[in-house]
Amino acid sequence: MNNVLSSDVGQAFTGCPQGSVLGATLFLFFIDHLKSIFVGRAHFCIYADDLKTYVAVEKLGGCQQLQTVLDDLGGWCHDVGLNLTPEKCGVMHFGSKNPRFDYLLCGGSLRKLEVVKDIGVRYSPSLNFSEQVRHIAAKASLISNWILRSFALKSPSAYLKLYESLVLPVMFYACQVWHPSRRSDIELLQKCRISFDAGWSSDAILPDTPLYSLQLRLSCGVLI
């Protein structure tokens, strides 16, 4: 601006400048044509530079249709100078009758994933989210133990406030997606609270405390 530049002027043959004000908008323009590959052929979701495409497979023809979409995707990326790394991509098969087709992208075979993390939530082919629950329980326990090691407070309400501010956001993140239905998963999450209570007080938490029912709070989160 004002005839002053932070760097020399150069020509960009592919992509868009990073760290600029218009970078995000230019990136949307850059990938806008991508949607024409999927419309009417496969469902797709895009978040920033992360792309997911999926098809309901009833017969082998559905697998071949998705493979055709992947071939066209690879061709489009080649035409615009966008290099894909098949090793960083993968496929997850859902359903017991899924033929588990071997898909290819840019000449490379896609890995068959058993667990995939997407925007902080872990998915598995069974969609029971047990892996997500185990991860959340472990992370919540680490934060709870840190609170107990770092603070020596006389007021129970202060501990509850710390738990509510630091632990619960971790436990309830995206619970509308992974809300646990298995008893073992619910009990694993409840153990985090029981262990935290035992760490700062020998007295039981009264039922009228706002953090009493974890299952109730999860259910409320699903309704929001």
Side-chain angles (χ1 to χ4, degrees):
M1 299 181 65
N2 296 328
N3 298 321
V4 178
L5 298 175
S6 59
S7 60
D8 296 333
V9 177
Q11 186 175 2
F13 295 96
T14 61
C16 60
Q18 296 184 4
S20 62
V21 176
L22 294 177
T25 302
L26 293 175
F27 180 75
L28 293 178
F29 288 140
F30 180 67
I31 66 172
D32 182 69
H33 184 68
L34 184 64
K35 62 187 179 184
S36 63
I37 300 175
F38 301 96
V39 173
R41 306 166 66 190
H43 302 283
F44 71 100
C45 298
I46 299 178
Y47 180 80
D49 60 347
D50 185 26
L51 169 67
K52 292 173 286 295
T53 180
Y54 52 97
V55 171
V57 176
E58 298 179 357
K59 297 180 181 179
L60 187 60
C63 300
Q64 296 171 344
Q65 176 183 348
L66 181 56
Q67 180 60 62
T68 302
V69 172
L70 293 176
D71 293 339
D72 293 344
L73 174 62
W76 178 85
C77 292
H78 179 269
D79 293 340
V80 300
L82 182 63
N83 296 324
L84 291 179
T85 306
E87 293 78 11
K88 295 183 179 180
C89 305
V91 57
M92 179 171 286
H93 301 284
F94 298 95
S96 58
K97 297 182 180 180
N98 193 303
R100 299 181 67 84
F101 189 81
D102 293 322
Y103 295 98
L104 302 175
L105 179 62
C106 298
S109 179
L110 292 179
R111 296 176 296 124
K112 296 180 180 179
L113 305 175
E114 295 301 324
V115 177
V116 61
K117 180 183 178 181
D118 182 37
I119 316 182
V121 179
R122 287 162 174 76
Y123 298 83
S124 64
S126 62
L127 288 178
N128 58 23
F129 295 104
S130 292
E131 183 68 26
Q132 173 73 5
V133 171
R134 286 193 291 269
H135 172 77
I136 288 178
K139 189 173 182 179
S141 296
L142 287 175
I143 299 175
S144 298
N145 292 333
W146 174 81
I147 293 174
L148 296 174
R149 292 195 309 269
S150 304
F151 297 91
L153 306 173
K154 296 181 179 181
S155 173
S157 61
Y159 279 105
L160 293 177
K161 197 64 175 179
L162 287 170
Y163 189 86
E164 188 175 31
S165 302
L166 301 177
V167 180
L168 289 187
V170 173
M171 299 184 71
F172 295 146
Y173 172 77
C175 64
Q176 296 86 347
V177 177
W178 59 267
H179 183 272
S181 57
R182 292 172 135 190
R183 183 181 183 87
S184 57
D185 291 339
I186 296 175
E187 291 177 348
L188 181 60
L189 293 175
Q190 289 176 335
K191 284 181 180 179
C192 298
R193 175 63 196 280
I194 295 174
S195 299
F196 181 79
D197 292 342
W200 65 269
S201 174
S202 60
D203 299 328
I205 299 299
L206 297 177
D208 58 353
T209 58
L211 310 182
Y212 178 72
S213 176
L214 175 65
Q215 190 170 4
L216 177 60
R217 278 183 164 254
L218 287 171
S219 299
C220 292
V222 172
L223 295 175
I224 295 176

